[in-house]
Every structure is written in C-alpha cells, then in structure tokens.
Amino acid sequence: RAALGASLPLLQRDYRFERVWFWGYIQGVRGTYYIAEGLGPDRAAPRSRLYSLNCLDWSLLTPASEEMVAQAEQLKGRFQGDPSFVYNLAEINAGAAERLFEGGKEPVIKEEARLIATIEEIDRAVGIVPRGAFVKTPLGSVHENRHFEGLSLVEAKKLSSYFHFTEPVNLKNKTLLEKANLDPSIDFLDSLEHDIPQG
C-alpha cells in the first residue's frame, strides 16, 4: 500500500496523465499483477492501462483486440504471475489452435495478452458508474460532474440509475421515441436495466 501511494503520483507525472486510478490486482501462482489506469481530459476515451509486479516498475499494456479476447476465453485456471509465460492453445483447444495455424499464426498466447483480455472483459461486464456522475459536453468529451452528490435512496435502488462505463451498444438500437425521454448530457451510456439475466 505504501509503495502504491508513492508510485502512482510518479506514474501520473511520468506519463502525463490527468488522473491515475488503481484498477485492482490479479493474483497469480508465482506473482501478483497490480493494475492502474491512466486517464486524459476525456474520461470516456480509451484508458491507458499499466501493470506492475512490485508496485514500483510499471509497464504499459497494449489495447485489447477482439481476437485477443477470443483467444483468452479458451484459457481456464489461475494466472502464473509471469508476463512472459506462454500458453499452448493446442493443448487446451485443438479446434481453435487449428484455425490459428491455418491463418499463419502460432497457436500460443502469452500471459500478458491474457491479462489484457481479462481486464477488458471485467471492465465490459462490471465497469459501472452511477447516473449523473459523468457529463458529456456538446463537443463530445466526457468529464466528471462536479455537482454530483450521489444518488437519492429511491434512485439508488433502481438498475436504470447505473450505467456501463464502456462504449454504448444498446443505446444505438433505441427508437427515436425511447431516446426522446433521455437527457443527452447524462444518458449517453448503456443502462444496466436491460442486462441479462434480468435484475
């Protein structure tokens, strides 16, 4: 905790981030990955993610691709705690390995790629913010709402008061009539009320 408290402000300074959030950690068999997110002026823009094994030396992670996420879904079990560890997909899923081999790619995945994909999947599933905590400006950038004081008790009990803090998918499919009741400055993300399973 002391190492994190000292290194995160240095990380913010060195990478010129406007803000740094400690995302969490993923425990492996031989080591633990500590993950931080660096943010720029637009809070909804793709965030820079970094990991460290000792809370002092940080390495920048590349953005997750759909192919990387699909490959990582084949892997089960604990992380090893070594970013250079290589998983052989041929031993895990012969069909997926065959498709990769035909495409001219090696049927292997590094643990660092698995880490990137896992963070992305967790963010898509449970990266959640309360309604009104962030506002979208007319120019399209997203900022923290300085006037947000939290949800009322009644609003806090509704799933519609929470949004996925990722690129909206369901919002684009809504009809004009459904969009008419939305406030474009705060209702610019997907609500949790239509998530499956319901409730």
Side-chain angles (χ1 to χ4, degrees), residues 16-29:
R16 292 189 169 89
F17 292 134
E18 196 168 282
R19 196 132 176 227
V20 172
W21 288 345
F22 178 64
W23 184 91
Y25 66 89
I26 293 176
Q27 283 186 319
V29 177

Side-chain angles (χ1 to χ4, degrees), residues 27-38:
Q27 283 186 319
V29 177
R30 295 191 293 270
T32 301
Y33 296 104
Y34 297 92
I35 298 130
E37 285 188 337

Side-chain angles (χ1 to χ4, degrees), residues 5-164:
S7 72
L8 290 179
L10 295 174
L11 188 67
Q12 182 175 343
R13 183 200 69 193
D14 294 346
Y15 282 89
R16 292 189 169 89
F17 292 134
E18 196 168 282
R19 196 132 176 227
V20 172
W21 288 345
F22 178 64
W23 184 91
Y25 66 89
I26 293 176
Q27 283 186 319
V29 177
R30 295 191 293 270
T32 301
Y33 296 104
Y34 297 92
I35 298 130
E37 285 188 337
L39 297 99
D42 184 357
R43 295 291 190 255
R47 298 184 277 284
S48 299
R49 294 190 180 113
L50 303 100
Y51 77 92
S52 174
L53 294 165
N54 58 8
C55 297
L56 298 170
D57 306 311
W58 295 88
S59 302
L60 199 60
L61 292 168
T62 57
S65 66
E66 288 304 320
E67 182 190 13
M68 205 183 278
V69 172
Q71 282 181 355
E73 281 176 0
Q74 310 290 325
L75 304 171
K76 303 286 180 230
R78 292 184 65 184
F79 279 79
Q80 296 302 309
D82 174 12
S84 60
F85 182 82
V86 175
Y87 296 93
N88 190 344
L89 286 176
E91 295 169 6
I92 298 152
N93 186 331
E98 191 66 35
R99 283 193 297 276
L100 278 173
F101 210 70
E102 286 169 8
K105 292 179 182 165
E106 282 288 314
V108 294
I109 180 170
K110 281 182 130 182
E111 182 152 283
E112 190 175 63
R114 183 187 180 196
L115 179 70
I116 293 165
T118 303
I119 294 167
E120 183 66 26
E121 282 293 282
I122 291 170
D123 264 358
R124 284 182 195 173
V126 295
I128 292 165
V129 292
R131 183 178 186 265
F134 291 86
V135 289
K136 191 172 193 175
T137 65
L139 298 172
S141 61
V142 175
H143 302 283
E144 285 158 26
N145 185 357
R146 284 182 281 180
H147 303 293
F148 181 71
E149 294 179 350
L151 297 168
S152 67
L153 194 59
V154 175
E155 290 296 312
K157 291 178 182 177
K158 296 179 190 169
L159 276 180
S160 58
S161 298
Y162 300 93
F163 295 135
H164 286 285

